[in-house]
Amino acid sequence: MLKAIEHLEIREQEIMKMRYGIEQQELTQKDIAEKLGISQSYISRLEKRIISKLKQQFQDR
């Protein structure tokens, strides 16, 4: 997983690390939204987009 997220943009990496507790405590979408100063619904959309990117990376291998 860590190798996969290295290919994401920095902000996307940070969101995934916060969301899934990679190298830090796992946070909810609401917690991440508050920390980044954006809405929870936007975090949800970003997370879906990031997961789609990761799936595509694995399919391309």
Side-chain angles (χ1 to χ4, degrees), residues 1 8 16 19-20 44-58:
M1 176 75 170
L8 298 172
M16 294 305 284
R19 184 71 175 114
Y20 294 99
S44 179
R45 289 192 304 272
L46 287 173
E47 185 179 351
K48 286 177 186 174
R49 189 181 79 209
I50 295 165
I51 290 170
S52 291
K53 261 188 185 182
L54 291 170
K55 283 181 182 178
Q56 188 62 49
Q57 282 182 25
F58 285 113

